[in-house]
Amino acid sequence: MQTVRLNKISTKAPKQFNKEKTKTKTLLILKELTELQNLLYAESKHSLLIVIQGMDASGKDGLIRDVFSAMNPQGVQVESFKAPTSKELSHDFLWRIHMHAPSKGMIQVFNRSHYEDILITRVHKWCDDALAIKRMKAINDFEEMLEVHNHTHILKFYLHISPEEQNERLLERLEDKTKQWKYNEQDLEEAKLWEQYMRVYEDCFNKCNKVPWHIIPSDQNWYKEYLVANAILTTLKNLKMRFPGLKK
């Protein structure tokens, strides 16, 4: 993976992408994903771990709803990682993550993830650079272990929005009654640390890339959903799965 500079990557769809045509393509992809997820569950030889990272208001929750709601809920699990509890803090930082790694046949979605321990912790100086480097090595080893020892295929998505779009979405949470439940006054304070977050994200992309990152332009939800759904489709197709025969 080449060195990532987020300010050099567009947060919008290329001009040649038509919104309505792309949304139609996404619907067709989701229909195919439903069938492939059923096959993944039936064959039970592989698992899929989907890591979703992004700044506040980048659309993580909406992406999970719109891409995964078409699938069989028996085969998909979602875990949101918030501030660790006192019990979780008494263990190594990957302890709470590992217990949610997917079993064979399952799709596991992480809404935020183990990467928070080298992102927000660095921005707020709870984790210094030396410790962050050790944690990044541990993350690389952890992801490799899941791949090698449990046939877990990992997709990592960063939802890339512009600070202008983030500000618009955060203000919308103040004004739109249907979105006020999402409002957290701390989000506006975190938004002021945009440049610091971009630096630690770029460091993360450049040092935790044994499993490559997908930088997803996310100012337009329809384009974001298409890219993520298409990446999942490609991964599942490449597994060359087959339905098992009758049990002996």
Side-chain angles (χ1 to χ4, degrees):
M1 187 172 180
Q2 295 181 337
T3 299
V4 174
R5 291 288 178 263
L6 289 171
N7 62 2
K8 303 294 184 182
I9 301 173
S10 176
T11 58
K12 297 183 181 297
K15 291 182 179 179
Q16 68 267 28
F17 274 80
N18 175 275
K19 180 178 178 180
E20 294 308 315
K21 288 182 178 179
T22 302
K23 289 175 75 172
T24 299
K25 287 181 181 178
T26 301
L27 290 175
L28 294 173
I29 290 171
L30 293 181
K31 183 177 180 181
E32 196 168 356
L33 282 179
T34 300
E35 298 171 357
L36 285 167
Q37 182 238 339
N38 186 38
L39 180 53
L40 176 78
Y41 189 83
E43 188 186 51
S44 198
K45 289 183 178 179
H46 308 269
S47 60
L48 184 61
L49 172 60
I50 296 171
V51 174
I52 301 174
Q53 288 288 153
M55 295 291 285
D56 294 321
S58 59
K60 297 181 289 294
D61 293 341
L63 174 69
I64 293 169
R65 178 195 65 225
D66 294 334
V67 171
F68 296 95
S69 60
M71 298 183 188
N72 187 332
Q74 291 187 100
V76 179
Q77 295 176 331
V78 179
E79 186 66 27
S80 297
F81 291 98
K82 302 186 184 299
T85 64
S86 57
K87 181 178 181 178
E88 290 168 343
L89 286 171
S90 70
H91 293 268
D92 67 90
F93 78 101
L94 288 172
W95 177 79
R96 68 174 183 155
I97 307 297
H98 199 167
M99 68 176 70
H100 295 288
S103 57
K104 289 184 177 70
M106 297 295 295
I107 295 176
Q108 175 73 58
V109 182
F110 284 175
N111 185 348
R112 301 188 187 271
S113 66
H114 40 298
Y115 285 99
E116 291 299 297
D117 289 288
I118 58 168
L119 294 167
I120 187 173
T121 56
R122 292 184 82 184
V123 169
H124 288 281
K125 312 300 182 185
W126 304 327
C127 168
D128 61 25
D129 291 344
L131 178 56
I133 289 171
K134 292 177 182 178
R135 286 182 174 180
M136 285 189 273
K137 180 181 182 302
I139 288 171
N140 285 330
D141 291 342
F142 172 67
E143 292 177 351
E144 183 178 26
M145 183 270 292
L146 293 180
E147 288 185 317
V148 172
H149 295 285
N150 204 49
H151 294 182
T152 299
H153 302 267
I154 304 172
L155 288 171
K156 302 190 299 194
F157 299 107
Y158 171 70
L159 307 188
H160 183 38
I161 63 170
S162 64
E164 296 79 15
E165 180 67 21
Q166 185 201 42
N167 184 62
E168 185 176 319
R169 293 181 184 182
L170 290 176
L171 292 177
E172 202 175 45
R173 293 178 180 181
L174 284 170
E175 299 164 358
D176 186 339
K177 289 184 178 180
T178 66
K179 297 182 179 181
Q180 286 177 349
W181 63 274
K182 296 182 180 181
Y183 176 71
N184 183 340
E185 60 182 355
Q186 188 60 35
D187 290 347
L188 294 173
E189 292 302 312
E190 290 295 303
K192 296 175 183 177
L193 303 172
W194 183 273
E195 293 301 323
Q196 292 95 311
Y197 271 104
M198 294 303 101
R199 283 197 295 271
V200 296
Y201 261 113
E202 288 173 351
D203 198 34
C204 164
F205 300 147
N206 295 322
K207 291 177 180 169
C208 288
N209 59 10
K210 286 186 178 181
V211 175
W213 282 90
H214 297 258
I215 311 299
I216 304 295
S218 297
D219 278 5
Q220 297 146 298
N221 290 329
W222 57 269
Y223 185 57
K224 169 188 67 183
E225 291 158 12
Y226 166 73
L227 291 179
V228 171
N230 196 52
I232 297 170
L233 177 67
T234 300
T235 298
L236 291 178
K237 276 187 169 182
N238 286 341
L239 298 183
K240 307 295 183 184
M241 298 178 290
R242 293 182 178 182
F243 282 108
L246 292 172
K247 292 183 179 180
K248 295 181 180 179

